[in-house]
Amino acid sequence: MTHVIVLGNEKGGSGKSTTAMHLIVALLKSGKKVGAVDLDLRQGSLTRYLENRRKFSEIKGKELIFPEMVKVEPSSLDSRAESQKKETENLKNALKTLGECDFAVIDCPGANTHLSRLAHLHADTIVTPLNDSFVDFDLLAKVDPETGKVVGPSLYSEMVWDARKHRAMMGDRSGIDWVVMRNRLSATRARNKKNMGDKLDELSSRIGFRLARGFGDRVIYRELFPIGLTLLDLGGVDSPVRLSTMSHVTARLEIRSLVAALNLPAGEE
Amino acid sequence: MTHVIVLGNEKGGSGKSTTAMHLIVALLKSGKKVGAVDLDLRQGSLTRYLENRRKFSEIKGKELIFPEMVKVEPSSLDSRAESQKKETENLKNALKTLGECDFAVIDCPGANTHLSRLAHLHADTIVTPLNDSFVDFDLLAKVDPETGKVVGPSLYSEMVWDARKHRAMMGDRSGIDWVVMRNRLSATRARNKKNMGDKLDELSSRIGFRLARGFGDRVIYRELFPIGLTLLDLGGVDSPVRLSTMSHVTARLEIRSLVAALNLPAGEE
Ligand SMILES: Nc1ncnc2c1ncn2[C@@H]1O[C@H](COP(=O)(O)OP(=O)(O)OP(=O)(O)O)[C@@H](O)[C@H]1O
Ligand SMILES: Nc1ncnc2c1ncn2[C@@H]1O[C@H](COP(=O)(O)OP(=O)(O)OP(=O)(O)O)[C@@H](O)[C@H]1O
Ligand SMILES: [Mg+2]
Ligand SMILES: [Mg+2]
């Protein structure tokens, strides 16, 4: 049974593609078979990251570990209803192709597209990265500016709950495990960071997600994009980047903690 | 003649709404009449920022300066062609309503929507904030991973050039001034930051934008969102946030430098 992990957050630039890539490589390194689906059909950051990886491994003659990538074609039919039908079929086929994988990691765009909603419907685990900012938080929940209290869920929480509701309606008893992870955390102890932390704690039980510590804002999470590598690929004698900084060591711990926090099935050993 | 400033970048989370808000308040504070249009119809971060501002000024009984906000209704007709026709009309009417303003600031979504393309077509100045990351850069231009050379323009550059081309086809001799600004710059001197700087310099003459220094990654740019204020609103005796940190002083300079870099018309005095 392929365990589907969806990177979801309607808010752009929250870190979905970055987290998707690092999760994919972490799971591959732990010996799992991993499939990858990029539903950001236009920008395709994850696709680009993996293409860069492919080129780098060819140019350098280095063996690198790859997920099984499956394309999902967009539909540009004039009728929204018709093109959504076609896309539903395309995603179903993509997931069938990945039926032999332990995990299928689906990267969603920062928008409420039909394919993104569909992916959420198929998710066993939804991972939602979140910038340390109330601008980002605003898509999870509305906050009363006067009292600072959470007033109610917002657009993206509704998207996740629609997926949970539809699953229940279809008779599916397995719930969706929703994990929100803080991303691009600054090293400093700003009041804003504490406020965000408090609000997230308050919100998690209320709208049903678990909170994972997440990633700091570290150059190592983005500087290897042009060559398609992640921190986890480094460490060999011929590593293109010096590995010994504190930031790199902490980043490795962050990635490992995230995988642990996701409580993923051990799969067939 | 209303000078139209469009915040554009198809890449999500690059800082469009944040920059839009700070530009709006800076221009208002300099005595200009400013209109605001939020084309991110679903997420509406700019709309939310201004609603929070409205609520805060009512609750605290404080006088705050506001832009003239105009709504542009989305269309959810099933036919893409029909709904695009309706949206084109809605945006034209919105701009007509703002005809008395010195400036109209239009915030675009992090997606290639029809309204976003339309806004680019109407722009006198396009301001494109950009995270210090090749993941973001990838939407401006493709880079050869082996040589590090810029290979050609990418999706968002094409969007800007489509707007420039259409304007020329319609006989409009006034060009669009395209300014790319670096955003969320870290204080450190990372190699990644220098590489990005070099690539941007290389790219600017090649694809026709000017490069503005931009903003550092500073909590002050985001922590006042819940109360709808910006750094520029602070400084009174009853200021809710202590104003004297180095980061705040530098942020003020950054905002002022951005406005200066935009070379905006002085307007009627
Ligand atoms: N932990 C991190 N440390 C440093 N930079 C990061 C981190 N996470 C993400 N980034 C950078 O932040 C930007 C946004 O990240 P990313 O593209 O992964 O977000 P996204 O949610 O996939 O965006 P979109 O909605 O556009 O698909 C990118 O420039 C990326 O390199
Ligand atoms: N200079 C900055 N310093 C600190 N935080 C920033 C800065 N610029 C933007 N941010 C934060 O980064 C995130 C993305 O910014 P913002 O929402 O303005 O981007 P956007 O381009 O409008 O995104 P979208 O594509 O979703 O509309 C927000 O959480 C915002 O608070
Ligand atoms: Mg992405
Ligand atoms: Mg925005």
Side-chain angles (χ1 to χ4, degrees), chain B residues 30-46:
Chain B
S30 71
K32 301 286 184 262
K33 280 233 217 80
V34 183
V37 182
D38 188 349
L39 292 186
D40 191 341
L41 301 178
R42 183 164 156 92
Q43 299 182 16
S45 310
L46 180 65

Side-chain angles (χ1 to χ4, degrees), chain A residues 13-18 38 40 43-46 107-110, chain B residues 11 135:
Chain A
S14 49
K16 299 176 288 295
S17 304
T18 297
D38 188 349
D40 192 339
Q43 297 182 17
S45 310
L46 180 64
D107 187 19
C108 292
Chain B
K11 178 64 173 129
V135 175

Side-chain angles (χ1 to χ4, degrees), chain B residues 176-222:
Chain B
I176 299 176
D177 184 22
W178 184 17
V179 179
V180 171
M181 65 168 259
R182 299 176 76 175
N183 189 32
R184 299 194 69 175
L185 283 166
S186 88
T188 64
R189 317 180 30 170
R191 161 191 47 229
N192 186 59
K193 188 173 172 183
K194 163 123 187 35
N195 289 345
M196 279 288 292
D198 294 345
K199 283 287 154 267
L200 285 167
D201 288 332
E202 183 183 336
L203 197 63
S204 67
S205 39
R206 182 167 165 165
I207 54 176
F209 60 76
R210 306 191 286 111
L211 188 59
R213 178 84 183 66
F215 298 165
D217 192 358
R218 306 180 188 288
V219 174
I220 192 66
Y221 283 119
R222 58 182 190 239

Side-chain angles (χ1 to χ4, degrees), chain A residues 43-61:
Chain A
Q43 297 182 17
S45 310
L46 180 64
T47 306
R48 294 283 295 151
Y49 210 144
L50 291 164
E51 279 172 0
N52 293 344
R53 190 178 181 84
R54 186 71 65 188
K55 289 205 189 95
F56 184 77
S57 91
E58 282 166 19
I59 289 167
K60 299 294 182 194

Side-chain angles (χ1 to χ4, degrees), chain A residues 12-18 183-184 216-218 222, chain B residues 11 133 136:
Chain A
S14 49
K16 299 176 288 295
S17 304
T18 297
N183 189 31
R184 301 194 66 177
D217 193 358
R218 307 179 187 286
R222 60 183 189 239
Chain B
K11 178 64 173 129
S133 164
D136 279 45

Side-chain angles (χ1 to χ4, degrees), chain A residues 10-14 17-18 42-45 48-49 52 55-56 59 75-83 110-112 131-135 138-139 141-146 155-156 159 184 186 188 190-193 217 219 221-223 225-227 240-242, chain B residues 10-14 17-18 42-45 48-49 52 55-56 59 75-83 110-112 131-135 138-139 141-146 155-156 159 184 186 188 190-193 217 219 221-223 225-227 240-242:
Chain A
E10 200 178 326
K11 179 64 172 128
S14 49
S17 304
T18 297
R42 180 162 159 94
Q43 297 182 17
S45 310
R48 294 283 295 151
Y49 210 144
N52 293 344
K55 289 205 189 95
F56 184 77
I59 289 167
S75 162
S76 51
L77 299 169
D78 182 68
S79 156
R80 266 185 253 258
E82 284 309 307
S83 78
N112 179 23
N131 273 310
D132 215 33
S133 165
F134 282 98
V135 174
D138 194 51
L139 268 90
K142 298 279 182 262
V143 175
D144 183 311
E146 184 172 17
L155 292 180
Y156 181 68
M159 193 202 253
R184 301 194 66 177
S186 88
T188 64
R191 162 192 44 229
N192 187 60
K193 188 173 173 181
D217 193 358
V219 173
Y221 283 121
R222 60 183 189 239
E223 74 177 311
F225 168 81
I227 53 178
V241 176
R242 267 190 40 255
Chain B
E10 201 178 325
K11 178 64 173 129
S14 49
S17 305
T18 297
R42 183 164 156 92
Q43 299 182 16
S45 310
R48 294 281 298 150
Y49 209 144
N52 292 345
K55 289 207 189 93
F56 183 77
I59 290 164
S75 163
S76 50
L77 297 169
D78 181 68
S79 156
R80 267 186 253 256
E82 284 309 308
S83 79
N112 179 23
N131 272 311
D132 216 30
S133 164
F134 282 96
V135 175
D138 194 53
L139 269 90
K142 298 278 180 261
V143 176
D144 184 309
E146 184 174 17
L155 292 178
Y156 182 68
M159 193 203 252
R184 299 194 69 175
S186 88
T188 64
R191 161 191 47 229
N192 186 59
K193 188 173 172 183
D217 192 358
V219 174
Y221 283 119
R222 58 182 190 239
E223 73 179 310
F225 168 82
I227 54 177
V241 175
R242 264 191 40 254

